[in-house]
Amino acid sequence: MPVYGELVIVVTPRGKRGLHRVLENQDLHTRDGVLRMADIAQAEYGSEVLTSQGVPYRLYRPTLSDLVQGVKRQTQILYPKDIGYICTRLGVGPGRTVIEAGTGSGSLTAALAWFSGPTGHVHTFEAREEFQKLAAKNLDKLGLLGENVTMHLGDIAEGFDGVTGADALFLDVRTPQAYLEHIPEACCPGAALAFLLPTVNQVTLLLEGLEQGPFDDVEVCELMIRKWKPIVDRLRPEDRMIAHTGFLIFARLQEKSDLWERFRVQSLGTRERKQEASRRQRLGLPPLESLESAEITGSSTEDL
Amino acid sequence: MPVYGELVIVVTPRGKRGLHRVLENQDLHTRDGVLRMADIAQAEYGSEVLTSQGVPYRLYRPTLSDLVQGVKRQTQILYPKDIGYICTRLGVGPGRTVIEAGTGSGSLTAALAWFSGPTGHVHTFEAREEFQKLAAKNLDKLGLLGENVTMHLGDIAEGFDGVTGADALFLDVRTPQAYLEHIPEACCPGAALAFLLPTVNQVTLLLEGLEQGPFDDVEVCELMIRKWKPIVDRLRPEDRMIAHTGFLIFARLQEKSDLWERFRVQSLGTRERKQEASRRQRLGLPPLESLESAEITGSSTEDL
Amino acid sequence: MPVYGELVIVVTPRGKRGLHRVLENQDLHTRDGVLRMADIAQAEYGSEVLTSQGVPYRLYRPTLSDLVQGVKRQTQILYPKDIGYICTRLGVGPGRTVIEAGTGSGSLTAALAWFSGPTGHVHTFEAREEFQKLAAKNLDKLGLLGENVTMHLGDIAEGFDGVTGADALFLDVRTPQAYLEHIPEACCPGAALAFLLPTVNQVTLLLEGLEQGPFDDVEVCELMIRKWKPIVDRLRPEDRMIAHTGFLIFARLQEKSDLWERFRVQSLGTRERKQEASRRQRLGLPPLESLESAEITGSSTEDL
Amino acid sequence: MPVYGELVIVVTPRGKRGLHRVLENQDLHTRDGVLRMADIAQAEYGSEVLTSQGVPYRLYRPTLSDLVQGVKRQTQILYPKDIGYICTRLGVGPGRTVIEAGTGSGSLTAALAWFSGPTGHVHTFEAREEFQKLAAKNLDKLGLLGENVTMHLGDIAEGFDGVTGADALFLDVRTPQAYLEHIPEACCPGAALAFLLPTVNQVTLLLEGLEQGPFDDVEVCELMIRKWKPIVDRLRPEDRMIAHTGFLIFARLQEKSDLWERFRVQSLGTRERKQEASRRQRLGLPPLESLESAEITGSSTEDL
């Protein structure tokens, strides 16, 4: 049973959904008449409450997916499929600190705050004040603007406002390569990084930036969801699907020592060696052969 | 810097990964010689530690994705793409209670425990003792067998061991339709439900079961991940991909009143009406027309 | 330069396309004014012709894809992606005979006739007279109702109207399994067969039918086309795509001798053996073991 | 029944396939013993012939798909899914002339020759003599090196060897943009063009080239095939699939008059207008506004 102050998803028989906080004397005015808060507060989750015109509306306790979709948006928001995967890959959770830029409408921020719990922390950056205000309002409405969220206003061109030691970072900005230089200051060595970009041109520019280091373990992927019509005797995929929301790019904040590279290169196949050779040439690095023949001293060999 | 007792991901230059707890005097014996725990404990995350043969190994602080993939498996485990989406759709998180069956090797259990945090709770059920032991060992190793996890041993054919009021439930079993009858006892009305099934035959049987109620908002989908080769000047998708891990089915624990159905049916298009008519016939329900003409009294119309 | 009697694709600057035959005194009346046939007959393919209101319309010589999309439809038509693959897999071409049912609006019939050329032959069957008339009209308009096409009116429940020796057969009907029994009479042994079905329920019923024999080499697949936005500096997939047109099922008309099965089974892996054992049980066939131990005499061993 | 001189597909119970011509006294030596041509010549298509060791081999009349896969390859060959779609989009068929470069191993050439029939024509270009020889051998073996195929040896950097008036053209070369300038000489105005490229970098360069004109109606797409396991009671997609063979790019050889552009631009939405404005700027074309205000005289307005 929702208590006053809680959030509730209200669904109509026509499939419309709304996210509302249960507040005394704040009845909902719908196209089917008034839905009284007093009735909501006395109903069970999963039950139906009638509007003044006798139309049944359902009450659900919101899932994270419901919350994210309940966000008022002035920007493109992330989809649940991408949100879940990003949080899993970044290790967002209790005890972890994550940086996000830009905040946008706050849909991913909501998820980060949700999964972080009271012992994790989210630093979210937004350059445009109107977006930050919108996101703050959204998070507040969702009950996720807790002490585990710090909202930073300002461009990240100068860095991440003194934040240090983050375990993970997510950039959803047009030119993420422009901000790579500030990541080592803000994140732990080895931190997990993720980026979302719509076009392959942007992906290429980001990959070029990541190649300059100190980054490694770069991955690029797309996540596609294909819905099916859930009809018992005519089971089949939906006719249409969303074909593209964006490319996801993952990496680690990671120096690559020559010693590491020497051993890594040894395990490559013929074609990968060729690609590596061409990459080194493009970057102006010494050729593969030099790497393999050189005397390379690890930083702590004397210990072993 | 990892402290004694923490988990660390160790990566070799050949790309092999291992999950280890930093424990005094428990040096790792690798194919590249000994990796000393004392060295690990003095190194930064993201740095390289040399084995006794001078090969550099990297240390990472594990993400959830790392943890899940570090699970010792005797069963098929879930992929990060599915894990993230399931947790997002089910609303797993602080303050929420989720039921899972079967536990299997514990990979999803780990994610549920991770995201639940200290204020959420996971009830996981497994019929086979050897799997439960394996899962317990895995969770313990991951540091995720906390007070927020209850492991139940036994078949769910008789129900969910007295658990009540769960907010969400996930079934990864061969014949989930056999256990639907126990869901209302174990979960809150309106609870979010999810199922994973590999074949369309199983999906059909589950959909038939869900049709009997009390369930609604049924969705079926597939989630596909397509990796790209992250090569700046030859950017292209990988040649091969995993084409199928399973179908995901989502639903809500939800009674459908005749009143709800009457209003819902009014909003259907011609083709959907036809499908609904055929569904009602298959299920032995009164025809659509009767629904529309009947005197239906909502449970609380007198209030309004 | 189109000559009188030829077909021409006319494209407007707004992207509308029409298929027209160049006929004297049959000027086209468009929303941009009159397009004179005399002007078309004097223009080059690829050039622009002005309407009476001065709007330029382009002329193209139609490709097969243009023709298929120019078909007037009262039924679902096949997409070029499926048409091309079906024709390639069935070996439609000069010197080959192919059977099709149902004719529908004639879009695939057009492709079969096109690729068959004067030395191939297409037999197309349609039960409903109004569809056959529409298809005939469409084919005639496309100039593809030549001597290499025979249109049969009538249900195929009684067979394929005496046609024998076809090299290939395509069924686009609701219950193809009902007509499998007539295929051996109409087709050559070894003939290539294809089927298009929208739902997995139908696919299952067809697979059950094919299992009864005499059929083998059964394949099921889906073909998906994903369009990209062809923008140089913002290259990315389209936001939406068609997710499903139908499942394609391929097979050969083929007896399976016990001798063949004995040798085939020997090459199976453990899991495939298990599936085969369960299949044999379902079909009431002797168990795998009997197959392997029995004395099996091939039909022509005396020769060797 | 195969007659001497015909091609036959021979399939073993282990699933191996071979393409052979039925020739007197040219018995096949297999790992299961000798397969006698005299036996093949007396057997029906679809029947089994025993090797000298008593193993049954099947005979099929080859489909186009069988032929293409029977090609001996030293290069990447095209897949049937792409072949069928390319031929459909290009309008390859009786009475049409198509240009292809490079010939490679001749797999697409085989399909073009097959579909063209005796009244169509294929001009195929290859720069490397060893590939041309291989392709000629392959086509000859397939019985497709008929009078409707002309093989050109030489680089297309200087053009298409005097060929003119082709209806369609397909380029499967690394840098197709380098050869665009020769297309107008070799093809009819309005000709249908297609290109296959593995990486997005190459697609971008080609799109830049096509933008210079005289080309229009540019499309980019990917074709994906997803196979299912055809098991009646466990129907599901295969675990793995081929995720990428290449991007297909289609266009028309087409001048764009200012008059056309003026009318086309009028029908664009806001976002498309923006993209068009940025494209014009990138290409150094006059701004959109000038196009719309200018006095533009069509070539034949006096007629209307």
Side-chain angles (χ1 to χ4, degrees):
Chain A
M1 202 181 292
V3 299
Y4 282 108
E6 281 193 342
L7 282 171
V8 68
I9 293 282
V10 177
V11 184
T12 80
R14 283 178 308 278
K16 299 283 166 204
R17 310 165 70 82
L19 181 68
H20 302 281
R21 195 168 293 282
V22 186
L23 294 175
E24 225 162 337
N25 299 324
Q26 304 224 353
D27 297 345
L28 302 174
H29 294 265
T30 78
R31 57 175 274 194
D32 298 311
V34 176
L35 191 67
R36 289 174 51 200
M37 277 294 172
D39 292 339
I40 292 178
Q42 280 168 25
E44 295 282 346
Y45 283 120
S47 68
E48 299 168 4
V49 175
L50 298 190
T51 67
S52 57
Q53 295 174 14
V55 178
Y57 277 32
R58 278 185 189 165
L59 307 181
Y60 285 142
R61 195 173 187 198
T63 63
L64 173 55
S65 187
D66 291 326
L67 293 182
V68 166
Q69 284 167 8
V71 152
K72 287 245 168 72
R73 59 194 78 174
Q74 284 175 12
T75 60
Q76 179 69 30
I77 71 160
L78 272 86
Y79 284 77
K81 69 176 173 75
D82 295 317
I83 285 176
Y85 191 57
I86 291 167
C87 290
T88 304
R89 290 292 306 263
L90 289 185
V92 174
R96 301 291 173 103
T97 297
V98 59
I99 290 173
E100 174 205 32
T103 309
S105 307
S107 65
L108 182 65
T109 324
L112 298 175
W114 171 276
F115 284 134
S116 291
T119 61
H121 202 91
V122 182
H123 289 279
T124 184
F125 293 80
E126 175 57 53
R128 293 174 61 175
E129 200 171 356
E130 79 262 36
F131 288 163
Q132 197 198 43
K133 278 186 181 163
L134 172 72
K137 215 168 141 187
N138 276 324
L139 288 167
D140 187 44
K141 182 178 170 192
L142 301 181
L144 289 168
L145 191 52
E147 293 187 359
N148 65 348
V149 177
T150 307
M151 300 190 81
H152 301 257
L153 181 62
D155 198 328
I156 54 172
E158 301 306 313
F160 294 94
D161 204 9
V163 175
T164 59
D167 299 290
L169 173 143
F170 175 73
L171 293 188
D172 179 12
V173 295
R174 282 195 190 197
T175 56
Q177 64 278 3
Y179 312 110
L180 296 180
E181 60 177 308
H182 300 298
I183 293 178
E185 204 177 291
C187 294
C188 289
L193 316 174
F195 308 85
L196 180 74
L197 289 168
T199 74
V200 295
N201 312 70
Q202 289 166 299
V203 174
T204 301
L205 292 173
L206 174 59
L207 292 180
E208 280 173 357
L210 290 170
E211 271 193 347
Q212 309 296 324
F215 304 101
D216 206 354
D217 296 344
V218 178
E219 289 180 39
V220 176
C221 70
E222 315 173 75
L223 212 52
M224 285 175 270
I225 194 164
R226 191 188 193 202
K227 294 187 180 167
W228 282 58
K229 299 189 183 179
I231 305 171
V232 169
D233 54 355
R234 293 190 55 74
L235 187 61
R236 51 168 289 180
E238 295 268 4
D239 296 325
R240 297 184 156 271
M241 64 183 272
I242 293 177
H244 184 67
T245 53
F247 295 97
L248 287 171
I249 300 95
F250 297 100
R252 291 273 190 176
L253 172 59
Q254 180 64 54
E255 290 287 353
K256 288 191 271 189
S257 73
D258 283 351
L259 190 60
W260 175 273
E261 284 299 276
R262 176 201 274 193
F263 281 102
R264 184 178 70 84
V265 157
Q266 284 173 14
S267 69
L268 298 180
T270 318
R271 178 188 282 191
E272 287 166 318
R273 273 185 74 87
K274 236 164 133 181
Q275 280 167 0
E276 176 63 22
S278 114
R279 186 185 71 92
R280 296 184 74 87
Q281 199 177 3
R282 193 174 61 241
L283 294 175
L285 294 174
L288 269 187
E289 296 67 29
S290 74
L291 191 69
E292 290 172 318
S293 60
E295 280 289 309
I296 299 174
T297 315
S299 52
S300 55
T301 30
E302 56 282 299
D303 287 6
L304 295 169
Chain B
M1 202 181 291
V3 298
Y4 282 107
E6 280 192 342
L7 282 171
V8 69
I9 292 281
V10 177
V11 185
T12 80
R14 284 178 307 278
K16 298 284 165 201
R17 311 166 70 82
L19 181 68
H20 302 281
R21 195 167 291 281
V22 186
L23 293 175
E24 224 163 336
N25 300 323
Q26 303 224 357
D27 296 345
L28 300 174
H29 294 266
T30 78
R31 57 174 277 194
D32 298 312
V34 175
L35 190 68
R36 289 175 53 199
M37 278 294 171
D39 292 340
I40 291 177
Q42 281 169 22
E44 295 282 346
Y45 283 119
S47 69
E48 299 169 6
V49 176
L50 298 189
T51 68
S52 58
Q53 294 174 15
V55 179
Y57 277 32
R58 277 183 189 167
L59 307 181
Y60 286 141
R61 193 171 190 199
T63 64
L64 173 56
S65 188
D66 291 326
L67 293 181
V68 166
Q69 283 167 10
V71 152
K72 287 245 167 74
R73 60 193 79 173
Q74 285 174 13
T75 59
Q76 179 68 32
I77 70 160
L78 272 87
Y79 284 77
K81 69 176 174 74
D82 294 319
I83 285 176
Y85 191 58
I86 291 166
C87 291
T88 304
R89 290 293 304 263
L90 289 185
V92 175
R96 300 289 173 106
T97 298
V98 60
I99 290 174
E100 174 205 32
T103 310
S105 307
S107 64
L108 182 64
T109 324
L112 298 175
W114 171 278
F115 284 133
S116 290
T119 61
H121 202 91
V122 182
H123 289 279
T124 182
F125 292 80
E126 175 58 51
R128 293 176 59 177
E129 200 170 355
E130 79 261 35
F131 287 164
Q132 197 198 42
K133 280 187 180 163
L134 173 71
K137 217 169 138 186
N138 276 325
L139 289 168
D140 187 44
K141 184 181 169 189
L142 302 181
L144 288 169
L145 192 51
E147 292 187 359
N148 65 347
V149 177
T150 307
M151 301 189 80
H152 301 256
L153 181 62
D155 198 330
I156 55 171
E158 300 306 313
F160 294 94
D161 205 9
V163 174
T164 58
D167 298 291
L169 172 143
F170 175 72
L171 294 187
D172 179 10
V173 296
R174 283 197 189 194
T175 56
Q177 64 279 4
Y179 312 110
L180 296 179
E181 59 177 308
H182 300 299
I183 293 178
E185 205 177 290
C187 294
C188 289
L193 315 174
F195 309 85
L196 180 74
L197 289 168
T199 74
V200 294
N201 312 71
Q202 289 167 298
V203 174
T204 301
L205 292 173
L206 175 59
L207 292 180
E208 280 173 357
L210 290 170
E211 271 193 347
Q212 307 297 323
F215 304 101
D216 206 355
D217 295 343
V218 179
E219 289 181 38
V220 176
C221 70
E222 315 173 75
L223 212 52
M224 285 175 271
I225 192 163
R226 190 186 193 203
K227 294 187 179 167
W228 282 58
K229 299 190 183 180
I231 305 170
V232 168
D233 53 356
R234 291 189 55 74
L235 187 61
R236 49 168 291 179
E238 296 269 3
D239 297 324
R240 297 185 156 270
M241 65 183 271
I242 292 178
H244 184 66
T245 54
F247 295 97
L248 288 170
I249 300 93
F250 297 99
R252 291 273 189 174
L253 173 60
Q254 179 65 54
E255 289 288 352
K256 290 192 270 189
S257 72
D258 283 350
L259 189 61
W260 175 272
E261 286 298 274
R262 176 200 274 192
F263 282 103
R264 184 178 69 83
V265 157
Q266 284 175 11
S267 70
L268 298 181
T270 318
R271 180 190 279 192
E272 288 165 318
R273 273 184 75 86
K274 234 164 137 182
Q275 280 167 359
E276 176 64 22
S278 114
R279 187 184 72 91
R280 296 184 74 88
Q281 197 176 7
R282 195 174 60 241
L283 294 175
L285 294 174
L288 269 186
E289 295 68 29
S290 74
L291 192 68
E292 291 171 319
S293 59
E295 279 289 309
I296 298 174
T297 315
S299 50
S300 54
T301 30
E302 58 279 297
D303 287 6
L304 296 169
Chain C
M1 200 181 294
V3 299
Y4 282 109
E6 279 193 343
L7 282 171
V8 69
I9 293 280
V10 177
V11 185
T12 79
R14 283 178 309 278
K16 298 285 167 202
R17 310 165 70 81
L19 181 67
H20 302 282
R21 194 168 292 283
V22 185
L23 293 175
E24 224 162 338
N25 300 323
Q26 304 224 354
D27 296 346
L28 300 175
H29 294 266
T30 79
R31 56 176 275 193
D32 297 312
V34 176
L35 191 67
R36 288 175 53 200
M37 277 293 172
D39 292 339
I40 292 179
Q42 280 168 24
E44 295 282 344
Y45 282 119
S47 68
E48 298 169 6
V49 175
L50 297 190
T51 67
S52 56
Q53 295 174 13
V55 179
Y57 277 31
R58 279 184 188 166
L59 307 181
Y60 285 143
R61 195 174 187 197
T63 65
L64 172 55
S65 188
D66 291 325
L67 293 182
V68 166
Q69 284 166 10
V71 152
K72 287 247 167 72
R73 60 194 78 175
Q74 284 174 14
T75 59
Q76 180 68 31
I77 71 160
L78 273 87
Y79 284 77
K81 70 176 174 74
D82 294 319
I83 285 175
Y85 192 57
I86 291 167
C87 291
T88 304
R89 289 292 305 264
L90 290 184
V92 175
R96 300 292 172 103
T97 298
V98 59
I99 290 174
E100 173 204 31
T103 310
S105 308
S107 65
L108 182 65
T109 323
L112 298 175
W114 170 278
F115 284 134
S116 291
T119 62
H121 202 92
V122 182
H123 288 278
T124 183
F125 292 80
E126 175 58 52
R128 293 175 60 177
E129 200 171 354
E130 78 262 35
F131 288 163
Q132 197 199 42
K133 278 185 182 165
L134 172 71
K137 215 168 140 185
N138 276 323
L139 289 168
D140 187 45
K141 183 179 170 191
L142 302 181
L144 288 169
L145 191 52
E147 293 187 358
N148 65 348
V149 177
T150 308
M151 301 190 82
H152 301 256
L153 181 63
D155 198 329
I156 55 172
E158 301 305 313
F160 294 95
D161 204 9
V163 174
T164 59
D167 298 290
L169 173 143
F170 175 73
L171 293 188
D172 179 10
V173 296
R174 283 196 189 194
T175 56
Q177 65 277 3
Y179 311 110
L180 296 180
E181 60 177 308
H182 299 300
I183 294 179
E185 205 177 290
C187 294
C188 289
L193 315 174
F195 308 86
L196 179 75
L197 289 168
T199 75
V200 295
N201 312 70
Q202 290 167 298
V203 174
T204 301
L205 292 172
L206 174 60
L207 292 180
E208 279 174 358
L210 291 170
E211 271 193 347
Q212 308 297 324
F215 304 101
D216 206 356
D217 296 344
V218 178
E219 289 181 39
V220 177
C221 70
E222 315 173 74
L223 213 52
M224 285 175 271
I225 193 164
R226 191 188 192 201
K227 295 187 179 167
W228 283 57
K229 298 188 184 180
I231 305 170
V232 168
D233 53 356
R234 293 191 54 74
L235 188 61
R236 51 168 290 180
E238 296 269 3
D239 296 325
R240 298 186 155 269
M241 64 183 272
I242 292 177
H244 184 67
T245 53
F247 295 98
L248 288 171
I249 300 94
F250 297 100
R252 291 273 189 175
L253 172 60
Q254 178 65 54
E255 290 287 352
K256 289 191 270 190
S257 72
D258 283 351
L259 189 60
W260 175 274
E261 284 299 274
R262 177 200 273 192
F263 280 102
R264 183 178 71 84
V265 158
Q266 283 174 13
S267 70
L268 298 181
T270 318
R271 178 188 280 193
E272 287 166 318
R273 272 186 74 86
K274 235 163 134 181
Q275 280 167 359
E276 176 64 21
S278 113
R279 187 185 72 92
R280 296 184 75 87
Q281 198 176 6
R282 194 175 61 241
L283 294 175
L285 294 174
L288 269 186
E289 295 68 29
S290 74
L291 191 69
E292 290 171 318
S293 59
E295 280 288 311
I296 298 174
T297 315
S299 52
S300 55
T301 31
E302 59 280 46
D303 288 6
L304 297 168
Chain D
M1 201 181 293
V3 299
Y4 282 108
E6 280 193 342
L7 281 171
V8 68
I9 292 280
V10 177
V11 185
T12 81
R14 282 179 308 278
K16 298 285 167 201
R17 310 166 70 84
L19 181 68
H20 303 281
R21 195 168 290 282
V22 186
L23 293 175
E24 224 163 337
N25 301 322
Q26 304 224 356
D27 296 345
L28 301 175
H29 294 266
T30 78
R31 57 174 276 192
D32 298 312
V34 175
L35 191 67
R36 289 173 53 198
M37 277 294 172
D39 292 339
I40 291 177
Q42 281 169 22
E44 294 283 345
Y45 282 119
S47 69
E48 298 169 6
V49 175
L50 297 190
T51 68
S52 58
Q53 294 173 14
V55 178
Y57 277 31
R58 278 184 189 166
L59 307 180
Y60 285 142
R61 194 172 189 198
T63 64
L64 172 56
S65 188
D66 291 325
L67 293 182
V68 165
Q69 283 166 11
V71 152
K72 288 245 168 72
R73 60 192 80 172
Q74 284 175 13
T75 58
Q76 180 69 30
I77 69 160
L78 273 88
Y79 284 77
K81 69 175 173 74
D82 294 319
I83 285 176
Y85 191 57
I86 291 166
C87 290
T88 304
R89 290 293 305 263
L90 289 185
V92 174
R96 301 291 172 105
T97 298
V98 58
I99 290 174
E100 174 204 30
T103 310
S105 307
S107 65
L108 181 65
T109 324
L112 299 175
W114 170 277
F115 284 133
S116 290
T119 60
H121 202 91
V122 182
H123 289 279
T124 183
F125 293 79
E126 175 58 52
R128 293 176 58 178
E129 199 171 357
E130 79 262 36
F131 287 164
Q132 197 198 42
K133 279 185 179 165
L134 172 71
K137 216 168 139 187
N138 276 325
L139 288 168
D140 187 44
K141 184 179 167 190
L142 301 182
L144 289 168
L145 191 50
E147 292 187 359
N148 65 347
V149 177
T150 307
M151 301 188 80
H152 302 256
L153 181 62
D155 199 329
I156 55 172
E158 301 306 313
F160 293 96
D161 205 8
V163 175
T164 57
D167 298 290
L169 172 143
F170 176 71
L171 292 189
D172 179 11
V173 297
R174 283 195 191 195
T175 55
Q177 65 277 5
Y179 312 110
L180 296 179
E181 60 177 307
H182 300 298
I183 293 179
E185 202 177 294
C187 294
C188 290
L193 316 174
F195 308 85
L196 179 75
L197 288 168
T199 74
V200 294
N201 312 71
Q202 289 167 298
V203 174
T204 302
L205 292 172
L206 174 59
L207 292 180
E208 281 173 358
L210 290 170
E211 271 192 347
Q212 308 298 324
F215 304 101
D216 206 355
D217 296 343
V218 178
E219 289 180 39
V220 176
C221 70
E222 315 174 75
L223 212 51
M224 285 176 271
I225 192 163
R226 192 187 192 202
K227 294 188 180 167
W228 282 57
K229 299 190 183 179
I231 304 171
V232 168
D233 53 356
R234 292 190 55 73
L235 187 61
R236 50 168 289 177
E238 296 269 3
D239 297 324
R240 297 185 156 270
M241 65 183 272
I242 293 178
H244 184 67
T245 54
F247 295 97
L248 288 170
I249 300 94
F250 297 100
R252 292 273 188 174
L253 172 60
Q254 179 64 55
E255 289 287 354
K256 290 191 271 190
S257 72
D258 282 351
L259 189 61
W260 175 272
E261 285 299 275
R262 176 200 273 194
F263 280 103
R264 184 178 70 84
V265 158
Q266 284 174 12
S267 69
L268 298 181
T270 319
R271 178 187 281 191
E272 288 165 317
R273 272 185 75 87
K274 233 162 136 182
Q275 280 167 0
E276 176 64 22
S278 116
R279 187 184 73 91
R280 296 184 74 88
Q281 196 175 6
R282 194 174 60 241
L283 294 175
L285 294 173
L288 270 185
E289 295 67 30
S290 74
L291 191 68
E292 291 172 317
S293 59
E295 280 288 312
I296 298 174
T297 315
S299 51
S300 55
T301 31
E302 59 279 302
D303 288 6
L304 296 168

